């Protein structure tokens, strides 16, 4: 499924760029940096799926994991694709249907940060610490489905943590920050366990296993720092708005209330 998924990512990048250009032609503001971030996210996923990754078999897999399940989804979530689609759709049934899905109880549960983290990290622990890895190599269809799951679960987690698109539920910064910290710790523990022993049913060279585990450990930290910076920017903006409102209230004379 690598080639079809890569093709979907390329088409998504083209559609996003065309949609952003249409917004600008009609006079709506849409920052260029979002186009660049979305294109970078699609490029990361395509590279992870089909591009060359240096290193031994496990090191190359760790690099692909970072690109398709962590870095790519994080960049895609920051580009606010759902917001773009909603602004492009005219009032009518398609827009109402998309909003109904985004505000549905199911979407609210899936995008609840602890649930999204459990789906994302739970899948990784099952893949690397059970016989699932070996089974995926024996059955190509299962391997393709796992690739799809890792991509979607990573996107789900990034959207739940960033919370930039209009979705159901309001999750405060403290909950999202704690979830990100816990997920980062779980990913780090998984990487350390792989440094000691590879997935059950596999036989990788010790040097390859250690290099791949280190790449997963430090690369995961880099993506988590990126998501933490997104939360920091949101906190800074929210604090600025609160201070501006407070300053406006303080500036009103007492007799004007």
């Amino acid at each position: 499924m690598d080639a079809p998924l890569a093709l979907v990512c390329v088409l998504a990048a083209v559609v996003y760029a065309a949609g952003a250009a249409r917004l600008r032609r009609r006079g709506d503001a849409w920052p260029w940096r979002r186009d660049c971030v979305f294109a970078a996210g699609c490029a990361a996923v395509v590279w992870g799926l089909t591009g060359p990754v240096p290193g031994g078999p496990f090191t190359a897999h760790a690099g692909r994991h970072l690109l398709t399940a962590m870095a790519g989804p994080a960049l895609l979530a920051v580009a606010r694709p759902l917001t773009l689609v909603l602004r492009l759709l005219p009032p009518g049934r398609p827009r109402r249907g998309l909003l109904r899905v985004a505000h549905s109880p199911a979407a609210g549960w899936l995008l609840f940060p602890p649930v999204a983290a459990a789906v994302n990290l739970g899948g990784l622990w099952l893949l690397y610490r059970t016989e699932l890895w070996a089974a995926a190599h024996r059955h190509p269809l299962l391997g393709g489905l796992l690739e799809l799951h890792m991509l979607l679960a990573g996107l789900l987690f990034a959207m739940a943590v960033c919370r930039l698109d209009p979705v159901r539920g309001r999750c405060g910064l403290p909950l999202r920050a704690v979830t990100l910290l816990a997920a980062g710790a779980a990913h780090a523990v998984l990487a350390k366990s792989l440094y000691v022993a590879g997935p059950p049913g596999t036989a990788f060279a010790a040097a390859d296993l250690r290099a791949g585990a280190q790449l997963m450990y430090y690369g995961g930290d880099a993506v988590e720092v990126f998501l933490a910076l997104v939360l920091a920017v949101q906190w800074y903006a929210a604090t600025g708005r609160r201070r501006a409102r407070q300053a406006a209230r303080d500036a009103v004379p007492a007799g004007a209330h």
Side-chain angles (χ1 to χ4, degrees):
M1 296 180 67
D2 289 354
L5 285 176
L7 179 60
V8 169
C9 288
V10 172
L11 292 176
V14 173
V15 171
Y16 186 101
R22 181 180 175 187
L23 281 182
R24 296 188 187 98
R25 282 197 302 270
R26 75 184 190 189
D28 292 357
W30 191 260
W32 281 98
R33 64 178 180 273
R34 294 181 187 169
D35 300 51
C36 297
V37 169
F38 192 85
C42 290
V45 174
V46 171
W47 183 15
L49 290 172
T50 61
V53 180
F58 187 75
T59 304
H61 169 81
R64 296 183 189 281
H65 158 71
L66 288 173
L67 290 168
T68 59
M70 297 189 72
L75 292 168
L76 295 176
V78 170
R80 306 187 184 190
L82 179 59
T83 301
L84 176 66
V85 173
L86 288 173
R87 290 181 61 176
L88 284 170
L89 289 175
R93 183 175 297 178
R95 191 175 191 276
R96 289 196 302 270
L98 183 58
L99 279 172
R100 192 176 300 115
V101 172
H103 296 163
S104 66
W109 273 109
L110 285 174
L111 290 170
F112 184 58
V115 174
V119 171
N120 188 27
L121 272 300
L124 292 178
W125 275 85
L126 285 174
L127 176 63
Y128 293 118
R129 296 275 55 117
T130 70
E131 297 282 346
L132 189 57
W133 171 289
H137 281 72
R138 291 194 300 268
H139 305 286
L141 178 59
L142 177 59
L145 292 175
L146 286 173
E147 289 279 2
L148 179 61
H149 167 80
M150 291 171 66
L151 172 60
L152 294 179
L155 182 59
L156 180 73
F157 175 72
M159 292 183 67
V161 169
C162 296
R163 212 76 180 184
L164 295 171
D165 280 318
V167 293
R168 181 185 178 92
R170 298 182 63 183
C171 299
L173 280 169
L175 175 62
R176 289 184 280 144
V178 170
T179 302
L180 177 60
L181 184 63
H187 189 268
V189 171
L190 176 61
K192 289 181 177 180
S193 73
L194 290 170
Y195 188 91
V196 177
T202 64
F204 294 105
D208 182 27
L209 190 63
R210 289 194 294 267
Q214 288 178 325
L215 178 60
M216 189 179 296
Y217 182 89
Y218 292 109
D221 282 351
V223 176
E224 287 145 15
V225 168
F226 172 75
L227 292 175
L229 288 174
V230 174
L231 294 184
V233 170
Q234 290 179 320
W235 172 83
Y236 182 81
T239 302
R241 287 192 295 267
R242 285 197 300 268
R243 289 180 176 177
R245 288 193 297 266
Q246 184 62 44
R249 286 194 295 266
D250 294 342
V252 176
H257 291 289

